[in-house]
Amino acid sequence: MKAHKSNLEGLLQKHVQMAAEIKNLDTDLQMLVYENYNKFICATDTIKRMKSNILGMEGNMENLLEKIMSVQSRSDNVNTSLFDKREHIEKLHRTCNLLRKIQFIYDLPDRLVKCIKSEAYADAVRFYTGAMPVFKAYGDSSFQECKRASEEAIAVIIKNLQEKVFSDSESMQVDNLKAKLLEKLEHSLKDVQLIPEEIGNASPSNHEAAICEFVEAIRAFRVIFPDSEEQLVKLARDLVTKHFVITEEYVKTRISGADLLGVLRVIWNDVLLMDKVSGEAALYDHSLEAAKVVIKLYFTSTFSYLLQDISDSLLKVVKRDGVEKYSLGVSLDACTKAILQGGKNFLVDVHKILEDNSRILDKLRELIIDWVQEGFQEFFRQLEDQFLLLSGRNSSSSTQNHGFPEGAQDDKALAGLVLVLAQLSSFIEKIAIPKITEESAISFSGDSVIGYEYGPAFIPREISWKFRSAGEKFLQQLEVIGNEVRQILPQGIQKHRRAASTGSTASSISNSLREEKMGRSNTQKARSQLLETHLAKLFKQKVEIFTKVEYTQGSVVTTIVKLCLKSLQEFVRLQTFNRSGLQQLQLDIQFLRTPLREIVEDEAAMDFLLDEVIVAVAERCLDPIPLEPPILDKLIQAKLAKTREQNAISS
């Protein structure tokens, strides 16, 4: 009863509250009505007036329409009646204009004579230049006499002007005028601006108009002052030099071959225009030498940016704060794409340059081929230096010259990074060098200028050998890291040995399943075996991969090997293999088991990770047919025997 009484009181309070709110809302509504009452009254009056006005508007609109139609009808009648007369008037007007021009031509000799008498030479030149188009078209037929008389008058004007120019009283004024005009012409060079970034735009540029004005100014200056060839030659060469200086700065940025071609075409067009009025400047030879510098600088800049791309990808792994965030596989993939795609894009750009039909580039064809070969040779040499520097094997080199930040060579190379460098070296040796050599042979034809006197500019065999040697050195870095660990940390207790590990049985079961799967000859059966392998993994005993790192040699080395194998497993999951790739990796993994057992503590985890790599490769293989176990053992024994022989000879 108490609870019901409490709820009823609450309802009564809510009722009183709602009643108060309703009353307040009613009051607010009344206030709104009162405030807007005048506006409602005004709106009503306006609507009434609009209604009364509209009622009479319809009749007015009909009357207006009738008047418009009447005006249009009368206008059509007038146009029809005056059409023939208007055509006749236009013909008469054109005839009148033609007669006026003809009369001007006939009166031109008399006008020129009057100008000579009054020394109005500027008007005479203006009249004569206005009649030049007519004289060119009809000077040998209808206006032959007028043309002859006009030319005689102009000859008199030229003679009078020359006498005034070479007179002693006015020589000083002429020299001052020449100096001022030449200074103004030099100042106009600033208006002929070459802006490489705007050349590829669809909108018209002011450059073409500016160069045309400059050429016309040179032409006029040469006519007025015939002894000014030396100054004009210097101006023309200065303009071409300025263009190439701007282009040199432009090619230092990351541009394409099409961008460079666009700039060179503009410069060559300017040279052709100026050569017509200043042939003594030898602008072609001057431009040829400048173009050599620009093109070679473009090649150097392109290879420099390509090296920088590779360095940036590797430096992300070098930095300690980015090791865990930046995958080794991503770094390797970025570097291989940069080398292969960058080299291919560069050859495509060079091919476009060689295909250009401009005279200046055709003259440089053989030199361009030599520069490209020299560029590739120098690029791979610098790339090898970068690899050695990053791995800590070339600490004497300048880091700034190789694109690495100061102090990068002081950090010990990470084991994962050394594996990336080794794989990248193998990629360059087996894929990049043959591909670039093939593309170069397709793109280039003809003999080079260097020839065999100084040796070939690009030696693929030498580069391949260098990177094969570098790759072997990088793989040996793991052994060096292990030796460094042994110098500092104690030996420790051997743990998780294969004989005492319960994971050994699981690993053996896994091996037997995989060998049975790889022994199948049918591709479909091999793929279906993958499902069996995954099911078997669900029931076998789990192997603990990553355990706590102890301050012992064996623990540190084992952890490094585990990380490397896990990284290798993740890397192959992102690749696609054929049958040969599967069998090669199967052989490599099997060969790797024996030396790894000698340096790791946890053999079970090591075997498990090696098996996982093989499974990952088989899953990513298009034709998963593995090597038979007898063949695999035979190849391993042959490799071990060869290694023993080499060790015996070297000792």
Side-chain angles (χ1 to χ4, degrees):
M1 292 297 293
K2 185 177 180 180
H4 288 290
K5 182 178 180 180
S6 177
N7 290 336
L8 182 58
E9 291 178 355
L11 289 174
L12 290 174
Q13 292 178 359
K14 188 66 176 178
H15 172 72
V16 173
Q17 182 181 358
M18 291 178 65
E21 291 178 356
I22 292 171
K23 184 176 181 180
N24 292 333
L25 291 174
D26 290 340
T27 303
D28 294 340
L29 181 60
Q30 290 177 2
M31 292 298 297
L32 287 174
V33 172
Y34 294 151
E35 290 175 357
N36 293 281
Y37 181 75
N38 291 332
K39 296 180 181 179
F40 293 153
I41 297 300
C42 292
T44 303
D45 295 340
T46 302
I47 293 172
K48 289 180 180 180
R49 287 195 301 270
M50 289 177 61
K51 184 176 181 181
S52 61
N53 293 335
I54 290 174
L55 292 177
M57 188 179 295
E58 184 175 359
N60 294 334
M61 291 299 294
E62 292 179 356
N63 294 334
L64 179 60
L65 180 60
E66 291 178 359
K67 293 179 180 180
I68 291 175
M69 295 299 294
S70 176
V71 171
Q72 182 178 0
S73 176
R74 294 179 182 180
S75 176
D76 293 339
N77 293 335
V78 172
N79 289 334
T80 303
S81 61
L82 297 179
F83 178 77
D84 296 335
K85 295 181 180 181
R86 184 165 53 248
E87 288 290 329
H88 182 65
I89 292 173
E90 290 178 356
K91 290 180 181 179
L92 292 176
H93 181 69
R94 289 194 294 268
T95 304
C96 181
N97 290 335
L98 180 59
L99 291 174
R100 189 181 297 108
K101 293 179 181 178
I102 294 174
Q103 186 64 39
F104 175 81
I105 298 298
Y106 280 116
D107 295 341
L108 182 60
D110 295 335
R111 288 175 182 267
L112 295 178
V113 171
K114 292 180 181 179
C115 290
I116 293 173
K117 292 180 180 180
S118 61
E119 296 185 354
Y121 300 127
D123 293 338
V125 172
R126 180 167 54 84
F127 294 152
Y128 182 73
T129 55
M132 284 297 296
V134 179
F135 285 152
K136 289 182 179 179
Y138 307 103
D140 297 332
S141 57
S142 303
F143 303 102
Q144 186 174 3
E145 293 297 329
C146 294
K147 179 182 179 183
R148 182 186 58 78
S150 299
E151 289 177 349
E152 291 177 355
I154 290 297
V156 173
I157 293 174
I158 293 174
K159 182 180 179 181
N160 294 341
L161 289 175
Q162 288 177 347
E163 291 177 355
K164 292 177 70 66
V165 169
F166 293 107
S167 63
D168 295 336
S169 60
E170 298 185 2
S171 60
M172 187 64 68
Q173 296 180 2
V174 172
D175 292 339
N176 293 336
L177 177 62
K178 179 180 177 180
K180 290 181 180 179
L181 291 177
L182 185 61
E183 182 180 357
K184 186 175 182 181
L185 194 58
E186 292 176 352
H187 185 73
S188 66
L189 283 176
K190 298 180 181 179
D191 297 332
V192 187
Q193 291 292 336
L194 179 67
I195 305 177
E197 293 80 6
E198 296 181 359
I199 290 177
N201 296 338
S203 58
S205 174
N206 295 329
H207 177 81
E208 184 177 356
I211 191 66
C212 290
E213 292 180 2
F214 180 74
V215 170
E216 290 300 324
I218 291 180
R219 190 195 308 274
F221 195 92
R222 187 171 184 177
V223 172
I224 299 173
F225 306 103
D227 59 341
S228 59
E229 292 181 0
E230 183 178 353
Q231 294 91 334
L232 297 180
V233 166
K234 183 179 181 302
L235 286 178
R237 288 188 175 182
D238 289 346
L239 179 59
V240 174
T241 301
K242 186 181 76 168
H243 284 353
F244 277 105
V245 169
I246 294 174
T247 306
E248 287 179 13
E249 295 299 321
Y250 180 56
V251 298
K252 292 179 183 179
T253 61
R254 179 167 288 190
I255 64 172
S256 64
D259 297 331
L260 176 62
L261 273 179
V263 177
L264 291 178
R265 289 193 188 106
V266 171
I267 296 177
W268 183 241
N269 291 334
D270 294 351
V271 169
L272 293 178
L273 288 174
M274 289 186 292
D275 194 60
K276 294 179 180 179
V277 298
S278 183
E280 299 83 359
L283 294 180
Y284 173 75
D285 296 335
H286 184 69
S287 302
L288 186 64
E289 295 301 319
K292 291 180 182 179
V293 177
V294 167
I295 295 176
K296 196 165 185 179
L297 184 60
Y298 165 70
F299 292 162
T300 303
S301 177
T302 301
F303 282 117
S304 177
Y305 279 110
L306 187 56
L307 282 170
Q308 189 63 46
D309 291 340
I310 300 172
S311 300
D312 292 342
S313 298
L314 295 176
L315 282 175
K316 292 179 181 178
V317 182
V318 174
K319 295 177 181 178
R320 294 180 178 178
D321 58 348
V323 173
E324 298 179 357
K325 299 178 182 179
Y326 194 73
S327 169
L328 297 179
V330 173
S331 176
L332 178 61
D333 186 59
C335 292
T336 54
K337 286 182 179 179
I339 294 173
L340 202 57
Q341 192 62 39
K344 182 178 180 181
N345 293 340
F346 174 71
L347 289 175
V348 170
D349 286 343
V350 173
H351 188 63
K352 291 179 180 178
I353 294 175
L354 294 177
E355 282 185 337
D356 193 76
N357 56 3
S358 62
R359 180 184 172 191
I360 189 171
L361 291 176
D362 185 65
K363 192 72 174 179
L364 298 176
R365 175 181 176 83
E366 294 180 346
L367 281 175
I368 289 175
I369 295 175
D370 285 334
W371 293 337
V372 171
Q373 294 177 349
E374 291 175 358
F376 273 116
Q377 187 79 9
E378 180 66 15
F379 165 73
F380 284 111
R381 186 194 67 77
Q382 293 184 9
L383 190 61
E384 180 194 14
D385 290 344
Q386 284 190 358
F387 287 0
L388 295 176
L389 179 67
L390 191 57
S391 65
R393 303 182 65 90
N394 190 16
S395 59
S396 61
S397 300
S398 174
T399 58
Q400 294 181 355
N401 294 336
H402 293 80
F404 291 100
E406 185 177 358
Q409 78 277 18
D410 295 334
D411 296 331
K412 292 300 181 181
L414 301 173
L417 178 59
V418 174
L419 286 177
V420 172
L421 295 176
Q423 183 68 13
L424 197 54
S425 300
S426 176
F427 169 81
I428 294 173
E429 173 201 353
K430 298 178 181 178
I431 298 178
I433 297 299
K435 189 66 176 178
I436 291 176
T437 304
E438 179 184 358
E439 294 288 342
S440 299
I442 295 175
S443 300
F444 305 144
S445 61
D447 298 330
S448 65
V449 176
I450 296 178
Y452 293 99
E453 182 179 356
Y454 301 98
F458 180 54
I459 311 176
R461 185 183 299 274
E462 177 184 344
I463 297 174
S464 299
W465 179 84
K466 285 185 177 181
F467 279 96
R468 184 188 307 119
S469 176
E472 293 175 355
K473 293 176 182 178
F474 296 144
L475 291 178
Q476 293 174 4
Q477 289 290 96
L478 286 177
E479 183 178 354
V480 174
I481 294 174
N483 293 334
E484 293 176 349
V485 171
R486 295 186 186 97
Q487 294 175 12
I488 302 298
L489 301 179
Q491 181 67 31
I493 302 175
Q494 298 292 328
K495 298 186 296 183
H496 306 293
R497 299 304 299 174
R498 184 181 184 125
S501 174
T502 56
S504 176
T505 305
S507 179
S508 300
I509 296 175
S510 176
N511 287 337
S512 63
L513 289 175
R514 292 185 178 91
E515 289 176 358
E516 180 183 355
K517 176 197 69 176
M518 294 179 179
R520 297 175 182 266
S521 59
N522 186 273
T523 303
Q524 186 62 32
K525 291 182 179 180
R527 290 187 178 279
S528 64
Q529 186 65 23
L530 295 176
L531 178 60
E532 299 177 12
T533 303
H534 286 298
L535 292 175
K537 289 168 62 177
L538 297 176
F539 296 99
K540 70 182 180 181
Q541 184 175 355
K542 299 295 182 180
V543 177
E544 187 176 3
I545 303 299
F546 297 105
T547 57
K548 182 179 180 181
V549 181
E550 303 292 342
Y551 285 93
T552 62
Q553 298 176 12
S555 178
V556 172
V557 173
T558 300
T559 302
I560 293 175
V561 172
K562 288 178 181 179
L563 290 172
C564 294
L565 293 178
K566 191 63 178 176
S567 299
L568 179 60
Q569 177 190 359
E570 297 300 326
F571 171 73
V572 299
R573 284 178 176 174
L574 302 176
Q575 310 300 317
T576 302
F577 300 90
N578 55 16
R579 184 193 301 180
S580 300
L582 169 63
Q583 294 177 354
Q584 181 63 50
L585 278 174
Q586 181 189 5
L587 179 62
D588 294 341
I589 294 300
Q590 188 64 24
F591 184 80
L592 194 60
R593 292 181 188 274
T594 300
L596 287 182
R597 289 194 183 104
E598 298 176 358
I599 63 174
V600 301
E601 293 181 347
D602 193 353
E603 293 185 11
M606 183 269 295
D607 284 335
F608 177 80
L609 289 173
L610 290 174
D611 293 340
E612 288 299 307
V613 172
I614 295 298
V615 172
V617 176
E619 290 175 348
R620 299 294 300 167
C621 183
L622 301 176
D623 187 16
I625 300 180
L627 291 171
E628 297 289 343
I631 298 176
L632 187 62
D633 293 338
K634 185 176 181 180
L635 293 174
I636 294 296
Q637 294 302 324
K639 178 63 176 178
L640 292 175
K642 185 177 180 180
T643 303
R644 286 193 294 268
E645 292 177 1
Q646 293 177 349
N647 294 336
I649 293 174
S650 62
S651 61

